[in-house]
């Protein structure tokens, strides 16, 4: 178990967050407000989630990700070519990218010098990448299997609605 301030990474905290995400899915009918509420919920619940956002594959330009709903500082990276940066690599491979220290990652697009680590979890339909959930943290190496499992579960929940 890992502790950050008063926050504990436990099965209980993870189940509680997943339950709240399910409530959002039940209560909200259109995709953008729903995704935005999930960003707000995650940023509020997990103290080291400093920027939380969705990137979606642009249906008109399939080689690009386009920024969707997010919570946190505005980013210049509104469009990201597949393969570029951490987001582009996750989209290219359909795999989770967990970067403990962004200063050590060569293929990285910086949004702000405050960001020190990042996790990107693809949203899949079968083998196809629909988009991804991107989280930046101002802490070094805060993400582990707890985050990965929670975020993968959330991406599975939102996939049918994208
Ligand atoms: N750092 C990302 C770019 C998106 S921002 O984090 C919001 C990347 O390297 O792909």
């Amino acid at each position: 178990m890992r502790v950050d301030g008063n926050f504990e990474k436990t099965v209980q905290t993870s189940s509680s967050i997943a339950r709240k995400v399910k409530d959002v899915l039940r209560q909200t009918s259109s995709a953008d407000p729903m995704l935005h509420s999930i960003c707000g919920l995650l940023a509020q619940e997990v103290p080291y989630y400093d920027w939380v956002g969705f990137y979606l594959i642009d249906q008109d330009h399939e080689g690009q990700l386009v920024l969707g709903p997010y919570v946190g500082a505005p980013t210049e990276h509104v469009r990201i070519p597949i393969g570029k940066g951490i987001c582009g690599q996750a989209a290219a491979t359909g795999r989770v990218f967990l970067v403990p220290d962004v200063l050590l990652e060569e293929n990285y697009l910086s949004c702000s010098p405050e960001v020190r680590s990042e996790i990107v979890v693809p949203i899949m339909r079968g083998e196809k990448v629909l988009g991804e959930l991107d989280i930046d943290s101002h802490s070094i190496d805060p993400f582990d299997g707890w985050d990965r499992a929670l975020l993968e579960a959330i991406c599975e929940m939102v996939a049918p609605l994208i």
Side-chain angles (χ1 to χ4, degrees):
M1 184 203 308
R2 219 193 118 105
V3 180
D4 272 89
N6 291 326
F7 182 76
E8 292 190 3
K9 294 191 185 201
T10 62
V11 173
Q12 285 76 18
T13 50
S14 153
S15 310
S16 154
I17 295 168
R19 247 194 328 272
K20 289 177 186 172
V21 171
K22 279 186 198 145
D23 289 342
V24 169
L25 296 179
R26 262 198 300 273
Q27 288 158 12
T28 322
S29 53
S30 47
D32 271 18
M34 179 192 81
L35 296 178
H36 190 259
S37 297
I38 293 171
C39 294
L41 177 66
L42 287 173
Q44 190 187 322
E45 295 283 330
V46 187
Y48 53 89
Y49 287 6
D50 294 303
W51 190 97
V52 181
F54 288 92
Y55 280 93
L56 304 171
I57 298 288
D58 185 338
Q59 295 308 323
D60 300 322
H61 305 90
E62 282 234 348
Q64 287 190 354
L65 290 162
V66 65
L67 180 61
Y70 70 93
V71 165
T75 173
E76 66 187 274
H77 302 298
V78 173
R79 290 187 164 275
I80 299 179
I82 306 292
K84 275 217 87 179
I86 297 167
C87 291
Q89 294 180 81
T93 58
R95 301 187 66 166
V96 175
F97 264 67
L98 197 168
V99 180
D101 182 348
V102 293
L103 299 183
L104 303 177
E105 169 64 41
E106 278 173 20
N107 190 357
Y108 168 64
L109 301 169
S110 172
C111 290
S112 130
E114 284 187 301
V115 174
R116 293 308 314 274
S117 55
E118 181 162 356
I119 184 168
V120 181
V121 179
I123 302 168
M124 309 290 292
R125 181 173 299 142
E127 298 291 298
K128 193 172 153 74
V129 179
L130 304 176
E132 54 197 33
L133 176 54
D134 176 19
I135 299 184
D136 290 345
S137 177
H138 298 167
S139 305
I140 297 181
D141 196 15
F143 305 115
D144 59 19
W146 182 91
D147 303 270
R148 187 185 170 128
L150 171 66
L151 301 174
E152 283 181 326
I154 293 172
C155 286
E156 271 181 35
M157 286 186 226
V158 303
L161 303 139
I162 287 177

